Amino acid sequence: MDSFTTGAKFECLLFDMDDTLYSMSSGINLACRHNIIDYMAHQLAIEESEVPKMCLDLYKEYGTTMAGLKVLGYEFDYDEFHADVHGKLPYDKLKPDPVLKQLLLSMPQRKIIFTNADKAHAAEVLSRLGLEECFEGVICFETLNEVGQSKSSTRILCKPLLEAMEAAIQIAKIDPERTIFFDDSARNIAAGKAAGFRTVVVGTSVLVPGADVALESIHNIKEALPEIWEGTNQLDLDSVIQPASVETVILA
């Protein structure tokens, strides 16, 4: 792979997953929010009438509702939270995306997922989309919050914290100035720009603060960012397009 990227302007492509690699219209995001609300009301015994607003407020303030609940002092098992919130998602709405797969495989750079979700959810989504062979690794909840570390802390490390961006840079051993960061969240894009990434907001044609490029769909990537393929020739691309027989691994 090094020989393919020698002449390339960028060395790494860092992708958010949910609502970035697939459309928000899938309903996964909405279903996830409903599951979180249900968990807060029934597992944490928070007054049901207060839960919807509290859920949204914590998400806006802390990056994820889960992170906000931790700051407020609620005690819960992270694995159980993720199993409850993600275990009931309508994953069947996600279908294989061969067009995106070929686009990703044709990119000569390292490709890494950077998500706030847990590893089980990341694996399920990538499998449903048929993209599990397209990425070198996954930076996820478990990566950023090592076992034992977060349980004694009052804070969960997640996007859009700049500290989470810096952790991803160290974990993946990447140069932010030669990395493109793709995300659907305006807050995450702003944090990515602060960390030094070239940034692409996905899911809108309107630039948000900190975004260098806006993509209404991830499928428009070749038209919007032809520089990803600069420094390669067709022989190189034909070699890269052959799927690797390795699984995406959790980076740690």
Short mmCIF file of all heavy atoms in Angstrom, two decimals, residues 14 25 44 48 53 56 58 64 152 155-156 167-168 181 183-184 202 207 214 247 249:
data_model
loop_
_atom_site.label_atom_id
_atom_site.label_comp_id
_atom_site.label_asym_id
_atom_site.label_seq_id
_atom_site.Cartn_x
_atom_site.Cartn_y
_atom_site.Cartn_z
N LEU A 14 -10.40 9.28 7.28
CA LEU A 14 -11.02 8.94 8.55
C LEU A 14 -12.52 9.15 8.43
O LEU A 14 -12.98 10.28 8.22
CB LEU A 14 -10.43 9.85 9.64
CG LEU A 14 -10.57 9.46 11.11
CD1 LEU A 14 -9.95 8.10 11.40
CD2 LEU A 14 -9.94 10.53 11.99
N SER A 25 -31.96 8.77 6.27
CA SER A 25 -33.33 8.36 5.93
C SER A 25 -33.58 6.88 6.23
O SER A 25 -34.72 6.42 6.18
CB SER A 25 -33.62 8.63 4.45
OG SER A 25 -32.76 7.87 3.62
N LEU A 44 -33.04 3.60 34.07
CA LEU A 44 -32.47 4.60 34.98
C LEU A 44 -33.53 5.31 35.80
O LEU A 44 -33.21 6.16 36.63
CB LEU A 44 -31.65 5.62 34.18
CG LEU A 44 -30.48 5.05 33.37
CD1 LEU A 44 -29.73 6.18 32.66
CD2 LEU A 44 -29.53 4.27 34.27
N GLU A 48 -40.47 10.01 33.01
CA GLU A 48 -40.71 9.79 31.59
C GLU A 48 -40.99 11.08 30.83
O GLU A 48 -40.56 11.24 29.68
CB GLU A 48 -41.87 8.80 31.41
CG GLU A 48 -41.85 8.12 30.07
CD GLU A 48 -42.64 6.81 30.07
OE1 GLU A 48 -43.01 6.32 31.15
OE2 GLU A 48 -42.87 6.30 28.96
N LYS A 53 -36.53 15.63 26.26
CA LYS A 53 -35.76 16.88 26.26
C LYS A 53 -34.38 16.65 26.89
O LYS A 53 -33.37 17.14 26.38
CB LYS A 53 -36.50 17.96 27.04
CG LYS A 53 -35.77 19.31 27.04
CD LYS A 53 -36.56 20.37 27.78
CE LYS A 53 -35.88 21.73 27.68
NZ LYS A 53 -34.51 21.75 28.21
N LEU A 56 -31.99 14.91 24.42
CA LEU A 56 -31.48 15.81 23.39
C LEU A 56 -30.49 16.82 23.97
O LEU A 56 -29.44 17.10 23.37
CB LEU A 56 -32.64 16.55 22.72
CG LEU A 56 -32.28 17.45 21.53
CD1 LEU A 56 -31.61 16.64 20.44
CD2 LEU A 56 -33.54 18.13 21.00
N LEU A 58 -28.57 16.53 26.62
CA LEU A 58 -27.31 15.89 26.97
C LEU A 58 -26.48 15.59 25.71
O LEU A 58 -25.26 15.73 25.71
CB LEU A 58 -27.57 14.58 27.74
CG LEU A 58 -28.15 14.74 29.15
CD1 LEU A 58 -28.39 13.38 29.78
CD2 LEU A 58 -27.22 15.58 30.03
N THR A 64 -22.63 12.78 23.28
CA THR A 64 -23.56 11.65 23.28
C THR A 64 -24.40 11.75 24.56
O THR A 64 -23.94 12.28 25.57
CB THR A 64 -22.86 10.28 23.27
OG1 THR A 64 -22.16 10.08 24.50
CG2 THR A 64 -21.89 10.16 22.10
N SER A 152 -14.04 4.63 36.38
CA SER A 152 -13.62 5.37 37.57
C SER A 152 -13.59 6.87 37.27
O SER A 152 -13.22 7.66 38.12
CB SER A 152 -12.23 4.90 38.01
OG SER A 152 -11.28 5.14 36.98
N ARG A 155 -16.18 11.14 33.11
CA ARG A 155 -16.32 11.57 31.73
C ARG A 155 -16.06 10.43 30.75
O ARG A 155 -15.14 9.64 30.94
CB ARG A 155 -15.37 12.73 31.42
CG ARG A 155 -15.59 13.32 30.03
CD ARG A 155 -14.70 14.50 29.77
NE ARG A 155 -13.30 14.14 29.72
CZ ARG A 155 -12.36 14.89 29.13
NH1 ARG A 155 -12.70 16.04 28.59
NH2 ARG A 155 -11.11 14.50 29.12
N ILE A 156 -16.88 10.37 29.73
CA ILE A 156 -16.68 9.44 28.63
C ILE A 156 -16.03 10.21 27.49
O ILE A 156 -16.46 11.31 27.14
CB ILE A 156 -18.03 8.83 28.17
CG1 ILE A 156 -18.54 7.83 29.23
CG2 ILE A 156 -17.89 8.17 26.82
CD1 ILE A 156 -19.93 7.30 28.94
N ALA A 167 -6.79 11.78 20.45
CA ALA A 167 -6.59 10.37 20.77
C ALA A 167 -6.62 9.53 19.50
O ALA A 167 -5.82 8.61 19.32
CB ALA A 167 -7.66 9.90 21.75
N ALA A 168 -7.54 9.85 18.59
CA ALA A 168 -7.65 9.13 17.33
C ALA A 168 -6.37 9.28 16.50
O ALA A 168 -5.90 8.33 15.88
CB ALA A 168 -8.85 9.62 16.53
N PHE A 181 -11.12 13.98 7.07
CA PHE A 181 -12.09 13.52 8.07
C PHE A 181 -13.50 13.75 7.54
O PHE A 181 -13.88 14.87 7.21
CB PHE A 181 -11.87 14.28 9.38
CG PHE A 181 -12.89 14.01 10.45
CD1 PHE A 181 -13.17 12.72 10.87
CD2 PHE A 181 -13.56 15.07 11.06
CE1 PHE A 181 -14.11 12.48 11.87
CE2 PHE A 181 -14.48 14.84 12.06
CZ PHE A 181 -14.76 13.55 12.47
N ASP A 183 -17.63 13.40 8.28
CA ASP A 183 -18.61 13.26 9.36
C ASP A 183 -19.87 14.03 8.99
O ASP A 183 -19.82 15.00 8.24
CB ASP A 183 -18.04 13.80 10.69
CG ASP A 183 -18.69 13.18 11.92
OD1 ASP A 183 -19.91 13.37 12.11
OD2 ASP A 183 -17.98 12.52 12.70
N ASP A 184 -21.02 13.58 9.53
CA ASP A 184 -22.28 14.27 9.26
C ASP A 184 -22.58 15.33 10.30
O ASP A 184 -23.49 16.15 10.13
CB ASP A 184 -23.44 13.26 9.23
CG ASP A 184 -23.65 12.60 10.58
OD1 ASP A 184 -22.79 11.80 11.00
OD2 ASP A 184 -24.68 12.90 11.23
N VAL A 202 -20.83 15.48 5.53
CA VAL A 202 -21.61 14.58 4.69
C VAL A 202 -23.10 14.68 5.02
O VAL A 202 -23.49 14.81 6.18
CB VAL A 202 -21.14 13.12 4.86
CG1 VAL A 202 -21.92 12.18 3.95
CG2 VAL A 202 -19.64 13.00 4.59
N LEU A 207 -21.96 24.13 3.35
CA LEU A 207 -20.80 24.10 4.23
C LEU A 207 -21.18 24.53 5.64
O LEU A 207 -21.96 25.46 5.83
CB LEU A 207 -19.70 25.03 3.70
CG LEU A 207 -18.93 24.58 2.46
CD1 LEU A 207 -17.99 25.69 1.99
CD2 LEU A 207 -18.13 23.32 2.76
N ALA A 214 -18.50 20.06 1.30
CA ALA A 214 -19.80 19.53 1.69
C ALA A 214 -20.24 18.49 0.66
O ALA A 214 -20.20 18.76 -0.54
CB ALA A 214 -20.84 20.65 1.79
N GLU A 247 -10.27 -9.14 8.06
CA GLU A 247 -11.38 -8.45 8.69
C GLU A 247 -10.93 -7.10 9.25
O GLU A 247 -9.77 -6.92 9.60
CB GLU A 247 -11.94 -9.31 9.84
CG GLU A 247 -12.58 -10.61 9.38
CD GLU A 247 -13.18 -11.37 10.54
OE1 GLU A 247 -13.03 -10.90 11.68
OE2 GLU A 247 -13.76 -12.43 10.30
N VAL A 249 -10.31 -4.56 11.98
CA VAL A 249 -9.98 -4.79 13.38
C VAL A 249 -10.20 -3.54 14.21
O VAL A 249 -10.15 -2.43 13.69
CB VAL A 249 -8.52 -5.26 13.54
CG1 VAL A 249 -8.29 -6.58 12.83
CG2 VAL A 249 -7.54 -4.20 13.00
#
